[in-house]
Amino acid sequence: GAVVSQHPSRVICKSGTSVKIECRSLDFQATTMFWYRQFPKKSLMLMATSNEGSKATYEQGVEKDKFLINHASLTLSTLTVTSAHPEDSSFYICSARDRWAWDPGELFFGEGSRLTVL
Amino acid sequence: ELKVEQNPLFLSMQEGKNYTIYCNYSTTSDRLYWYRQDPGKSLESLFVLLSNGAVKQEGRLMASLDTKARLSTLHITAAVHDLSATYFCAVVPRSGYALNFGKGTSLLVTP
């Protein structure tokens, strides 16, 4: 089955620093990847849609200068949390769509990255 | 705005019992997905429902979709402790392609 690798799985950083999270599709090409944020015991909130070779589309209320998304290749998207603050602490999950998938709604999810900002 | 509502949000049930989780959504869609999430983990795909009347079963779980009623159900038969997890439904509207998640149902199966 399709595998999406997310790294790092856990990261602790100090306020004011930037953190980069990588999302890789290991055995398929993904023209579109999605970044979600999940607060404890809450649902997944779509942050942005990452399209290979173009700018990401951000959901309403998500600061694009805060959460930088780059999708430079068909197998890699990165999310950089810039000038992190404690309120950015969360579980971030990426998902990827196989460019050749029959069902465009079927997504493969990464393992998630737990960010803690001190 | 697409709304996806699950109920119940919390469910505690005894082993061996049956129960149904409901997922209602507010817009036209033919694609609905069920996921399982264990604490601290990412999502595991359970079912993909792509047409009205679709029914899928895997072990003690069975999912169905009624696109006319905009309703999907996840039925649990003879629950076992290993089924304890949070279950999410997610919908892709006809007019879009992003998954919209329900709030999740936290299931606890007790002896």
Side-chain angles (χ1 to χ4, degrees), chain B residues 73-95:
Chain B
T73 61
L74 180 65
H75 187 73
I76 304 158
T77 302
V80 293
H81 179 70
D82 285 350
L83 290 179
S84 297
T86 299
Y87 293 85
F88 291 96
C89 65
V91 174
V92 177
R94 276 191 194 165
S95 60

Side-chain angles (χ1 to χ4, degrees), chain A residues 67-88:
Chain A
F67 300 99
L68 300 179
I69 291 173
N70 183 275
H71 192 158
S73 78
L74 286 171
T75 59
L76 174 64
S77 176
T78 60
L79 168 68
T80 301
V81 183
T82 63
S83 187
H85 289 283
E87 56 264 32
D88 298 325

Side-chain angles (χ1 to χ4, degrees), chain A residues 41-85:
Chain A
K41 300 186 186 298
K42 297 292 184 183
S43 188
L44 280 77
M45 181 190 78
L46 179 64
M47 298 175 65
T49 301
S50 169
N51 297 296
E52 185 266 335
S54 64
K55 291 183 179 180
T57 303
Y58 290 82
E59 296 299 301
Q60 193 172 9
V62 178
E63 298 177 63
K64 59 181 179 181
D65 294 330
K66 173 78 169 174
F67 300 99
L68 300 179
I69 291 173
N70 183 275
H71 192 158
S73 78
L74 286 171
T75 59
L76 174 64
S77 176
T78 60
L79 168 68
T80 301
V81 183
T82 63
S83 187
H85 289 283

Side-chain angles (χ1 to χ4, degrees), chain A residues 38 43 97 102-105 110, chain B residues 31 33 37 42 50 97 99 102:
Chain A
Q38 186 179 33
S43 188
R97 170 184 296 146
W102 176 80
D103 172 22
Chain B
R31 293 179 282 165
Y33 307 82
Q37 186 179 37
S42 190
L50 299 177
Y97 55 88
L99 278 176

